[in-house]
């Protein structure tokens, strides 16, 4: 299949998925309390959050109102740190009673063998843990001297449980980019089967730490690492779904870039707001569960997510790759929204031009 034909077929597929907008993933921001104070946190979570935890009954009412034909979805419980809640298991059992699957995203500090058994007995089927370096580099980003040892314990527990759909995510930055092969080897020894790598958007606390953003040459080095790692046996390595990568598409992921926020992905935020991925700017909120019917909002709003023509401005205005990029990930449109915060494909072109080479 030629590249142009493959590209055209994927565009048609994306249009079909957008028209259909079947809800597949629903995030629940169950708390904004957190037992860490990470340098890259996009939502400034803290242990003394201004928001009270959302009562699980309020979220379960949303699930009960979702049409039966759409109940085969994945509920992803996030935060903050969801393991700070003591009622995850009871909420999880109710989610399973509705025929839905559920999992959590955690920093791993509170993930013990006892809690794992409790969560699994409540029907948890998926878990994502964050590892952002080896030892000092992870502890630096997570702002906690014990974080690496505790998340390592959690990874060992999760990676060796046959029932759990488990992966590790890494936020790549200037401190850990030279450790990627060492992190890969560490995860391989831990029996981890899936690893997703992200870059860090300059939002929230991360906007105050420029060393968290990659340079163009480092962005290209990340693509090269992922491309080579995917050829090795063992861990399934992927670049996240965060951004369009130009000629690196299909080399760093299984499929081409497709921001599914608001197309297949929604979220219920801590205050009841209805949005897409939890780290998307609050100005894109579409409604509120305490005022609106979730299904009606999902079916009839989310226009800015399903038609991205509004993003043809700033550095995206005359971009010849807009039809494939669509303005990059929705989480990269923050503040005044005059332009996208980060253009990954542009950084990769800049790196190749500086080296006097074609982009690949």
């Amino acid at each position: 299949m030629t590249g142009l034909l493959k590209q055209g077929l994927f565009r048609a597929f994306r249009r079909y998925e957008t028209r259909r907008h079947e809800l597949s993933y629903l995030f629940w921001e169950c708390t904004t309390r957190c037992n860490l104070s990470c340098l890259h946190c996009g939502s400034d979570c803290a242990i003394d959050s201004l928001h009270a935890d959302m009562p699980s009954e309020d979220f379960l009412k949303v699930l009960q109102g979702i049409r039966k034909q759409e109940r085969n979805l994945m509920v992803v419980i996030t935060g903050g740190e969801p393991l700070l809640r003591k009622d995850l298991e009871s909420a999880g059992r109710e989610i399973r009673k509705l025929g839905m699957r559920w999992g959590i995203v955690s920093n791993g500090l509170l993930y013990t063998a006892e809690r794992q058994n409790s969560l699994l007995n409540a029907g948890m089927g998926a878990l994502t843990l964050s590892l952002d370096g080896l030892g000092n580099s992870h502890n630096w980003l997570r702002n906690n001297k014990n974080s690496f040892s505790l998340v390592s314990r959690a990874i060992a527990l999760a990676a060796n449980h046959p029932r759990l759909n488990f992966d590790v995510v890494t936020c790549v930055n200037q401190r850990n980019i030279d450790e990627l092969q060492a992190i890969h080897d560490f995860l391989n020894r831990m029996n981890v089967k899936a690893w997703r790598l992200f870059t860090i958007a300059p939002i929230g606390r991360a906007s105050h730490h420029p060393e968290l953003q990659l340079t163009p040459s480092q962005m290209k080095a990340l693509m090269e690492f992922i491309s080579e790692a995917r050829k090795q046996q063992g861990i399934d390595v992927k670049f996240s779904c965060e951004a369009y990568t130009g000629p690196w598409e299909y080399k760093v992921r299984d499929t081409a870039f497709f921001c599914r926020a608001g197309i297949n992905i929604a979220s219920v935020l801590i205050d009841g707001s209805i949005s897409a991925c939890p780290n998307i700017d609050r100005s894109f909120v579409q409604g509120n569960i305490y005022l609106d019917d979730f299904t009606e909002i999902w079916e009839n709003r989310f226009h800015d997510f399903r038609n991205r023509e509004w993003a043809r401005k700033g550095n995206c205005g005359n971009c010849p790759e807009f039809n494939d990029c669509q303005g990059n990930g929705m989480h990269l449109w923050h503040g005044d929204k005059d332009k996208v915060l980060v253009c990954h494909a542009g950084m990769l072109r800049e790196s190749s031009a500086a080296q006097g080479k074609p982009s690949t």
Side-chain angles (χ1 to χ4, degrees), residues 291-303:
L291 301 172
D292 305 297
D293 177 74
F294 176 87
T295 297
E296 189 277 331
I297 297 296
W298 176 254
E299 287 299 323
N300 299 310
R301 297 196 194 176
F302 286 89
H303 304 300

Side-chain angles (χ1 to χ4, degrees), residues 11 68 103 107 125 130 138 151 153 183 198 200 213 287 315:
R11 289 178 184 175
K68 288 185 178 180
N107 61 36
S130 297
H138 175 87
V151 75
R153 175 191 66 183
I183 298 170
F198 289 73
I200 300 174
Q213 278 78 60
N315 46 345

Side-chain angles (χ1 to χ4, degrees), residues 51-63:
H51 292 283
D53 293 357
M54 179 183 287
S56 59
E57 305 81 47
D58 294 357
F59 179 69
L60 290 169
K61 286 179 183 177
V62 173
L63 299 185

Side-chain angles (χ1 to χ4, degrees), residues 42 215 244 294 338:
T215 66
Y244 175 71
F294 176 87
D338 286 338

Side-chain angles (χ1 to χ4, degrees), residues 149-162:
S149 62
L150 293 173
V151 75
S152 297
R153 175 191 66 183
I155 290 170
L157 287 167
N160 291 289
H161 198 287

Side-chain angles (χ1 to χ4, degrees), residues 16 51-52 107 117 139 155 172 183 196 200-201 209-210 217 226 229 235 300 309:
Y16 169 77
H51 292 283
N107 61 36
N117 289 337
N139 290 342
I155 290 170
V172 183
I183 298 170
R196 285 180 292 148
I200 300 174
H209 297 277
S217 61
I226 297 173
I235 305 177
N300 299 310
E309 285 300 309

Side-chain angles (χ1 to χ4, degrees), residues 27-28 30-31 33-36 38 40 45 75-85 88-89 102-112 115-116 119 124 126-132 138 142 147-148 150-155 157-158 164-171 196 198:
F27 284 91
W28 177 28
C30 71
T31 183
R33 294 183 294 133
C34 191
N35 48 1
L36 288 177
C38 302
H40 66 312
C45 294
V75 175
V76 182
I77 303 176
T78 185
E81 173 48 52
L83 291 180
L84 287 170
R85 290 187 63 136
L88 283 188
E89 288 85 349
W102 67 278
I104 66 171
V105 178
S106 173
N107 61 36
L109 266 67
L110 299 175
Y111 196 85
T112 62
R115 195 71 194 269
Q116 175 171 270
L119 292 164
M124 183 182 74
L127 171 68
T128 293
L129 293 171
S130 297
L131 179 74
D132 298 307
H138 175 87
R142 296 286 162 174
S147 180
F148 177 76
L150 293 173
V151 75
S152 297
R153 175 191 66 183
I155 290 170
L157 287 167
L164 199 53
N165 182 7
F166 168 62
D167 71 347
V168 170
V169 297
T170 296
C171 291
R196 285 180 292 148
F198 289 73

